[in-house]
Amino acid sequence: MNPSTLRTWSRGYAKTRTGCAQVNQSPVITALESNFEDQRSIPFIGLVEAAVIQAFRNTGLPLQRIRKALAILAHEGELTHALASRQLYSDGASVLYDYATHSNDKQLRLLTVIHTGQRVFHEVIDTYLERITFGDTWATELILPVTTRRLLRVVPEVAGGDAMFIEGSATLSAVTSRAKAGEPLHSIAADFDTPTDHIKEALSAIWPTQKAA
């Protein structure tokens, strides 16, 4: 996604339309205040939340309706930080389906379906949720959805939360730094025991306008 989109999700925004009052929208993912030395502001929980919101968007639901869904999950399901919670996976679809049915909210119904008698998330959302590993309560690992194949994962306690290639020992930042310096991808791949095609696919997906070496 465009970095400005993620910034809006993490910081919210205030807009003034011509002839109208200012519109303020709160953040939809968790963010921290960054300092001058360290510009990182989205913690692991926020990264997981962003992945799930992107899944919600891919069903065609606009962000304003996603905000409504989050409010329902917090109120009806008592789910704080619902998008990074195991309860989202176990209870979230039922909460949203029941609310949408009782209120005749056809847009929110886009998020859920009935499958073998159970209320579950739309298959687009479920595809994203399958990339999240949950502990007793919270997400503990995310396989990044930037590539169709499962190539990159983030585990907050490993490599300082840097994205890592699942096969081999390469971190995304190390690979990116060496690739931008002009080093051939096959040489980088050999050093980290990571397949060259995995590196090329990941870099092309994350930075599509920059041709991989």
Side-chain angles (χ1 to χ4, degrees):
M1 68 176 67
N2 190 305
S4 64
T5 300
L6 192 61
R7 193 175 302 114
T8 297
W9 290 2
S10 65
R11 297 298 181 192
Y13 66 87
K15 292 182 179 179
T16 303
R17 297 187 177 91
T18 304
C20 299
Q22 180 172 285
V23 176
N24 297 300
Q25 291 291 359
S26 59
V28 291
I29 67 173
T30 302
L32 307 173
E33 291 295 332
S34 60
N35 56 45
F36 182 77
E37 292 80 13
D38 188 346
Q39 294 300 308
R40 295 175 297 180
S41 61
I42 299 177
F44 177 72
I45 191 172
L47 185 64
V48 173
E49 290 168 340
V52 178
I53 287 179
Q54 184 73 339
F56 282 12
R57 282 183 57 184
N58 286 346
T59 66
L61 196 67
L63 186 58
Q64 290 305 316
R65 300 303 293 164
I66 292 174
R67 289 180 181 276
K68 175 71 172 179
L70 297 181
I72 293 165
L73 287 170
H75 183 264
E76 303 285 336
E78 298 182 355
L79 299 178
T80 304
H81 294 299
L83 300 185
S85 166
R86 173 184 283 276
Q87 275 190 277
L88 174 73
Y89 196 85
S90 59
D91 303 334
S94 293
V95 169
L96 291 176
Y97 183 91
D98 289 346
Y99 179 90
T101 300
H102 294 154
S103 62
N104 196 29
D105 192 323
K106 295 181 180 179
Q107 281 193 309
L108 287 183
R109 280 287 301 274
L110 293 173
L111 298 177
T112 59
V113 294
I114 294 289
H115 181 65
T116 61
Q118 294 185 324
R119 293 159 290 188
V120 298
F121 280 112
H122 188 288
E123 61 182 7
V124 169
I125 299 173
D126 202 48
T127 298
Y128 276 70
L129 291 178
E130 288 175 354
R131 291 177 175 244
I132 303 171
T133 298
F134 292 96
D136 292 339
T137 304
W138 304 108
T140 57
E141 178 180 329
L142 172 65
I143 298 176
L144 297 182
V146 294
T147 58
T148 301
R149 289 197 294 172
R150 299 183 175 211
L151 302 182
L152 294 163
R153 67 176 184 144
V154 174
V155 181
E157 296 84 7
V158 180
D162 195 355
M164 305 174 294
F165 284 86
I166 293 174
E167 191 167 337
S169 58
T171 61
L172 180 61
S173 61
V175 168
T176 302
S177 177
R178 291 174 61 173
K180 287 184 175 180
E183 188 170 345
L185 295 189
H186 65 82
S187 175
I188 302 172
D191 285 349
F192 291 111
D193 197 25
T194 297
T196 303
D197 64 312
H198 288 198
I199 292 176
K200 186 172 184 178
E201 183 177 338
L203 295 184
S204 297
I206 298 171
W207 293 283
T209 60
Q210 299 181 19
K211 186 178 180 180

